[in-house]
Amino acid sequence: MQDTITTPRLLPEVEVERPRLYKVMLVNDDFTPRDFVTLVLKTEFRMGEERAKGVMMTAHQRGVCVVAVYTQEIAEEKATSATDAGRKRGYPLLFTTEPEE
Ligand code: TYC
C-alpha cells in the first residue's frame, strides 16, 4: 500500500477587520421621570441600580451620556427598543446611536 503523502498547505492570509462599534446615547429631556429612565436602563441594558442612576444623572446634568457600545445592528435595536419603552408610557425619552471614532 502506498504511503499517503500530504503536502503542507499554507493558509491564505485573510484580512479580517473588526466591525465598527456604535455608541448608544441617552438624551436628556424635561419630562421623563428620573425613576423611569433608571428603570429602562436596568431592563433594556441590564444595568445595576447604581450604574443606571449614574448614567441617568450624567444625561440629566450634561444633556447626554454614553450608555453602552455594540455592533451597529445591536446598538440600533437596543436604542429603538429603549426609546419605544418610553413612548409606550407617553414619554419623550430618547436613545440615539453614533459610530465610535
Ligand atoms: N431630566 C429629567 C427630569 O428631571 C430626567 C431625565 C434624565 C430624563 C435623563 C431623560 O435622559 C434623561 N425628570
Side-chain angles (χ1 to χ4, degrees):
M1 209 168 92
Q2 219 179 325
D3 284 335
T4 307
I5 302 166
T6 56
T7 53
R9 282 182 199 283
L10 290 175
L11 289 170
E13 268 183 44
V14 181
E15 289 205 17
V16 284
E17 287 195 11
R18 243 189 269 274
R20 194 164 194 198
L21 295 178
Y22 281 67
K23 297 182 282 191
V24 174
M25 316 288 295
L26 169 64
V27 182
N28 186 38
D29 67 73
D30 292 337
F31 303 101
T32 310
R34 293 183 190 190
D35 284 351
F36 183 75
V37 180
T38 303
L39 179 67
V40 170
L41 290 168
K42 285 165 69 177
T43 53
E44 301 282 337
F45 297 94
R46 300 162 149 270
M47 279 185 196
E49 179 79 16
E50 290 313 304
R51 178 127 180 270
K53 273 186 185 166
V55 169
M56 179 277 293
M57 282 309 292
T58 299
H60 176 72
Q61 290 165 346
R62 298 161 80 131
V64 66
C65 182
V66 178
V67 176
V69 173
Y70 304 101
T71 56
Q72 182 174 16
E73 194 181 358
I74 304 291
E76 286 171 357
E77 278 172 11
K78 293 264 188 189
T80 300
S81 169
T83 298
D84 282 351
R87 186 173 302 176
K88 277 181 200 146
R89 298 281 299 270
Y91 297 131
L93 182 63
L94 178 63
F95 291 82
T96 61
T97 62
E98 61 179 72
E100 259 195 341
E101 306 76 44

